[in-house]
Amino acid sequence: MMTPTAYVVSILSENVDKIPGLKDSGIFAFYINGEINDDVYLLVSETVGLGDEFGNDEILASNKRVQIDLYYPKDYQEDMSVLEQSLKRVLRDERVYCYSDAGHVLTLDSMNITNTLKFNLKMEE
């Protein structure tokens, strides 16, 4: 069974052509490794889940949560909302639902524009 992060990364990698402005080389799990350039980067990690669902004293499914941090170059010229809405649609088609969109912030340390999206997903046991 895959971790929630691996599951979401696999969905995004398989559907990267449906997310304008994102490249497969820009999708990372847990940390960004490699050389940073002027591309969009997406970092998937896990957050505290919502517990399990039981039936007949057996775990039927686990309610998990993942967080996606998006990093845009400070001079990004494309429409960030198009990328983010496409990303949400791709994940929603796989029953991974966005429950929080923090909005865009320009960071002082890296000078990237960032946004954090949080998602709920159910993983069958």
Side-chain angles (χ1 to χ4, degrees):
M1 186 162 117
M2 282 191 214
T3 66
T5 296
Y7 179 67
V8 169
V9 166
S10 71
I11 292 169
L12 296 173
S13 294
E14 291 169 9
N15 293 282
V16 72
D17 59 318
K18 297 177 184 172
I19 306 170
L22 184 64
K23 298 177 183 172
D24 194 44
S25 61
I27 301 171
F28 296 92
F30 300 114
Y31 68 97
I32 296 174
N33 59 350
E35 188 174 318
I36 303 297
N37 54 35
D38 288 336
D39 290 332
V40 175
Y41 290 90
L42 185 146
L43 179 63
V44 182
S45 56
E46 296 169 25
T47 63
V48 177
L50 297 171
D52 298 328
E53 294 179 11
F54 292 89
N56 295 329
D57 269 345
E58 297 291 326
I59 297 175
L60 302 175
S62 296
N63 296 300
K64 301 293 186 182
R65 285 186 163 173
V66 295
Q67 174 173 307
I68 296 177
D69 295 302
L70 292 149
Y71 297 88
Y72 299 94
K74 70 177 178 180
D75 57 351
Y76 190 68
Q77 298 297 312
E78 304 302 317
D79 189 344
M80 292 177 253
S81 65
V82 169
L83 185 151
E84 292 164 12
Q85 291 302 320
S86 300
L87 181 143
K88 290 176 188 177
R89 188 174 12 273
V90 162
L91 291 175
R92 190 172 50 244
D93 287 347
E94 298 295 327
R95 300 175 58 201
V96 179
Y97 302 102
C98 185
Y99 71 89
S100 177
D101 184 333
H104 300 96
V105 176
L106 180 63
T107 62
L108 295 176
D109 56 347
S110 67
M111 295 305 292
N112 287 99
I113 298 169
T114 65
N115 190 8
T116 299
L117 306 174
K118 296 183 180 186
F119 296 84
N120 290 324
L121 65 143
K122 188 175 291 196
M123 300 193 77
E124 308 275 326
E125 291 293 322

